[in-house]
Amino acid sequence: MSSFKKYKYLTISEKQNVIESVEEGERKVDVAKAFEIPLSSLSTILKNKEKIFSASSSRVRKRVSKGNFPRLEQCLVSWMRHSVDRIFQWVALY
């Protein structure tokens, strides 16, 4: 029987809370246990501190990376929203 532990993804705001906890003087071991993450993940979060704080925290994002084709992705999002709106309009007719 395997004792595999599922990886826990933290949102950007949770990562900001982790950084603030460490900067307030809490021990790294205690912060890692409180957020249920390994120490190596905590070190990576602290290493990427500037990138995390510069990320938009208006939404509950989990990743900071941007795509290779931002214009294409913007068009796809627009198309998806338009398609969903049309589906709801069609459903409302019936």
Side-chain angles (χ1 to χ4, degrees):
M1 185 190 258
S2 170
S3 63
F4 178 74
K5 184 175 180 181
K6 188 175 178 182
Y7 182 77
K8 180 176 180 178
Y9 290 98
L10 297 177
T11 62
I12 299 296
S13 62
E14 289 173 329
K15 290 178 183 179
Q16 290 174 345
N17 291 338
V18 167
I19 294 168
E20 289 169 356
S21 297
V22 171
E23 289 178 346
E24 289 174 358
E26 285 189 56
R27 291 177 44 214
K28 291 181 183 178
V29 175
D30 296 334
V31 173
K33 285 181 182 177
F35 285 91
E36 299 175 356
I37 57 173
L39 278 173
S40 61
S41 296
L42 176 62
S43 297
T44 303
I45 291 170
L46 293 173
K47 180 178 78 173
N48 297 324
K49 177 171 40 175
E50 279 83 27
K51 189 187 293 187
I52 292 169
F53 277 112
S54 68
S56 168
S57 62
S58 60
R59 291 180 278 162
V60 182
R61 295 179 54 194
K62 294 199 178 217
R63 297 186 185 228
V64 180
S65 64
K66 296 181 181 177
N68 294 329
F69 305 100
R71 177 72 181 133
L72 175 64
E73 292 172 6
Q74 182 182 12
C75 290
L76 282 172
V77 169
S78 175
W79 173 78
M80 288 175 50
R81 288 181 179 154
H82 178 72
S83 298
V84 168
D85 288 342
R86 288 192 55 156
I87 289 171
F88 283 124
Q89 289 174 357
W90 182 78
V91 170
L93 292 174
Y94 293 99

